[in-house]
Amino acid sequence: KQDDVPSAPAREQSSHQQPQRPQPSADEVGPVRTQGQPPRRRAQRRQPRHVALTLAQRHFRLLVVGDGDDRARLEARVAGEGLGGAIRFAGRVSDAELAGLYRASAFFVMPSTSEGFGLAYLEAMRAGKPCIAFHGSPDEIIEDGVDGILADAASPGALTEAIVRLFTDRELRARMGGS
């Protein structure tokens, strides 16, 4: 199902054309919001690679939306690991594009331990999408097992397990998205 989502456009587009953004398909999670620096604890540093490898093996894809201080490093890391088919970066998008990405995605993930109140979770829920987050501020918004999954950031496989669970259990995903 890798061909369901168009690739990011080449950089040499003429200035009068609007670039096409990668769009999520039914087997893709997105948007994942990125802002600022990612967590630096060792268990959390291992999770993105484990998630990406698991997604690639199962032919699922992750669409990362937004910009942050670490975007260039993350893009280079994804390219260097040969995971461009599993992880795509859409960059900054308009509010209308973001709403469309929420509607078209399977669910929403924002695995951060340092974000404050997550308006993005409410936006995803408004679009009927379950959310995956690490425990912390999202505990105020997401009811674990009801409208999303709250994972333990200190557990190396927790994020991957939550993502795979929602990808593979359509009934659960639909129930959580309908809460």
Side-chain angles (χ1 to χ4, degrees), residues 22-146:
Q23 296 294 312
S25 64
D27 65 343
E28 183 169 50
V29 62
V32 173
R33 299 288 291 268
T34 61
Q35 297 155 335
Q37 295 288 336
R40 296 293 183 197
R41 291 186 8 216
R42 186 169 45 178
Q44 293 168 350
R45 282 196 310 255
R46 286 191 301 246
Q47 288 199 32
R49 184 169 195 279
H50 188 249
V51 168
L53 290 173
T54 302
L55 293 175
Q57 290 167 349
R58 294 176 177 257
H59 304 288
F60 298 140
R61 286 192 302 220
L62 183 72
L63 179 63
V64 181
V65 176
D67 286 315
D69 299 343
D70 217 24
R71 180 176 172 193
R73 184 189 69 81
L74 292 172
E75 286 180 316
R77 184 174 171 189
V78 165
E81 303 253 355
L83 297 170
I87 301 176
R88 299 206 183 190
F89 292 82
R92 190 176 303 269
V93 298
S94 71
D95 289 342
E97 288 173 304
L98 183 59
L101 291 173
Y102 281 126
R103 285 190 304 273
S105 66
F107 51 90
F108 174 74
V109 180
M110 190 166 71
S112 174
T113 57
S114 60
E115 295 292 325
F117 182 82
L119 185 59
Y121 301 115
L122 296 177
E123 293 170 343
M125 288 174 178
R126 182 178 62 212
K129 302 302 171 182
C131 299
I132 297 175
F134 286 141
H135 282 287
S137 295
D139 291 36
E140 298 175 24
I141 303 166
I142 300 169
E143 188 174 349
D144 191 27
V146 175

Side-chain angles (χ1 to χ4, degrees), residues 10 18 20 23 25 39 60 63 66 135 145 162 167-171:
Q18 286 290 75
Q20 288 184 309
Q23 296 294 312
S25 64
F60 298 140
L63 179 63
H135 282 287
F167 264 134
T168 57
D169 191 339
R170 290 176 188 258
E171 186 176 301

